[in-house]
Amino acid sequence: MIIFACFVPHPPLIIPEVGKENLAKLEDTVKTLNHLERELYASKPDMILLISPHTSNYGNFFTINQQPKLRVNFKDFGDLVTKLEFDNELGFGYQIKESCEDNLPIILTADEWLDYGSGVPLFYLAQHLPGIKVVSLGHADLPLTSHLKFGEVIRKQINLSGKRVAIIASGDLSHKLHEDSPAGFSPRAQEFDQSVIKLINEKKIDELLHFDPELVKDAGECGLKPLMILLGIIKELNYEPEKLSYQAPFGIGYLVENFKV
Ligand SMILES: [Zn+2]
């Protein structure tokens, strides 16, 4: 049973030991993540299905991490203190792989240390869930339609599993919103972010799927594929999108969206 679903950003700067005084600039994002954390806690999940755009890339293959212990740190960002550890729900990951095999290319990986796209959401959303199991998924270099299809396959496995499953899709919107954005400026970045937010909240999945590829490329985003997998999982449910916050103080679009299921 799907009991919770959200789309969240992954700025390492919201990890207190990393962001320090910069944290204040992302106050709304932190606040809404804390709100989501309470909702997730109250939904009593058995397992979190975590979709990140920054797992190891295997080209055209979707990935499922089968390392028994999944660990998080932010050493790459100068934080030597923060550490998290989760047990992997190996059986469920394997079931997904088995159910994909004929239709979608998928590969099992074994990464002990999770990427920051996984780590930041886990830091905010999963720290008060002792014993929670995590399944870590990665996207493929395939079109958005394949990602929607992958989500549909996952939904069937969730229904078969009998478990209470929370879905967390991690991703940032455009990285080119300001003149001083780390990835450079694109005049169409704002248009991209606003269109994505509008289409999500109007539940126009078809229009998201057929987004102008030039605009997507121009935007320099990392959120659309994880979002498509999430939407593939929940699209048959009577879900209600709720935009909790959107901030871009450093020229990267950070959307926190709850999909009430
Ligand atoms: Zn990213």
Side-chain angles (χ1 to χ4, degrees), residues 10 53-54 116 171-172 175 222:
H10 46 246
H54 302 306
Y116 73 96
D172 299 337
H175 287 54
C222 65

Side-chain angles (χ1 to χ4, degrees), residues 15-27:
I15 302 301
E17 286 291 325
V18 177
K20 303 204 162 89
E21 62 281 357
N22 281 309
L23 211 63
K25 294 185 187 140
L26 285 167
E27 196 186 338

Side-chain angles (χ1 to χ4, degrees), residues 189-201:
Q190 287 287 354
E191 177 194 346
F192 173 82
D193 278 18
Q194 293 314 317
S195 310
V196 170
I197 293 169
K198 186 165 175 277
L199 294 175
I200 291 175
N201 286 285

Side-chain angles (χ1 to χ4, degrees), residues 234-245:
I234 64 170
K235 73 184 174 58
E236 302 296 332
L237 302 175
N238 188 18
Y239 73 91
E240 211 182 294
E242 183 188 15
K243 179 186 151 199
L244 296 176
S245 63

Side-chain angles (χ1 to χ4, degrees), residues 17-261:
E17 286 291 325
V18 177
K20 303 204 162 89
E21 62 281 357
N22 281 309
L23 211 63
K25 294 185 187 140
L26 285 167
E27 196 186 338
D28 289 356
T29 301
V30 168
K31 236 190 247 170
T32 53
L33 285 172
N34 287 332
H35 167 81
L36 274 185
E37 196 248 340
R38 290 190 291 275
E39 290 222 348
L40 174 58
Y41 184 87
S43 72
K44 299 197 175 72
D46 298 320
M47 175 174 100
I48 290 172
L49 203 68
L50 182 63
I51 309 158
S52 163
H54 302 306
T55 55
S56 310
N57 183 287
Y58 286 85
N60 286 349
F61 289 84
F62 290 100
T63 61
I64 294 186
N65 192 343
Q66 285 290 86
Q67 182 74 26
K69 290 274 183 210
L70 302 173
R71 298 179 214 274
V72 171
N73 68 26
F74 299 99
K75 271 204 309 219
D76 289 351
F77 306 96
D79 169 7
L80 305 177
V81 181
T82 309
K83 284 190 181 87
L84 306 172
E85 184 185 298
F86 300 91
D87 284 329
N88 195 340
E89 183 68 70
L90 296 169
F92 185 76
Y94 190 75
Q95 284 304 323
I96 293 177
K97 180 182 182 281
E98 288 291 287
S99 57
C100 274
E101 222 137 40
D102 295 338
N103 307 305
L104 293 164
I106 184 162
I107 196 168
L108 297 176
T109 62
D111 289 317
E112 180 180 0
W113 293 97
L114 294 179
D115 63 288
Y116 73 96
S118 303
V120 173
L122 286 173
F123 177 88
Y124 271 92
L125 302 177
Q127 280 207 64
H128 301 116
L129 294 167
I132 189 79
K133 298 276 181 71
V134 172
V135 172
S136 158
L137 305 177
H139 67 67
D141 298 341
L142 292 172
L144 291 176
T145 45
S146 305
H147 291 75
L148 195 76
K149 226 165 100 186
F150 185 42
E152 289 165 9
V153 169
I154 294 170
R155 185 191 66 239
K156 285 189 197 129
Q157 287 308 312
I158 292 174
N159 292 342
L160 288 172
S161 76
K163 291 186 193 303
R164 300 175 63 80
V165 180
I167 323 288
I168 301 174
S170 171
D172 299 337
L173 300 186
S174 176
H175 287 54
K176 299 185 179 178
L177 290 160
H178 295 177
E179 295 292 350
D180 53 358
S181 289
F185 174 70
S186 160
R188 297 186 75 193
Q190 287 287 354
E191 177 194 346
F192 173 82
D193 278 18
Q194 293 314 317
S195 310
V196 170
I197 293 169
K198 186 165 175 277
L199 294 175
I200 291 175
N201 286 285
E202 291 175 356
K203 299 173 83 165
K204 292 188 171 153
I205 298 178
D206 266 359
E207 286 184 41
L208 269 170
L209 268 180
H210 300 108
F211 223 90
D212 173 3
E214 278 304 309
L215 182 56
V216 174
K217 213 172 119 209
D218 231 36
E221 51 75 43
C222 65
L224 270 189
K225 286 178 172 176
L227 179 67
M228 272 307 148
I229 297 174
L230 168 87
L231 291 173
I233 298 173
I234 64 170
K235 73 184 174 58
E236 302 296 332
L237 302 175
N238 188 18
Y239 73 91
E240 211 182 294
E242 183 188 15
K243 179 186 151 199
L244 296 176
S245 63
Y246 172 76
Q247 288 192 282
F250 308 110
I252 301 171
Y254 299 130
L255 171 69
V256 178
E257 180 88 23
N258 191 8
F259 293 89
K260 296 185 166 179
V261 290

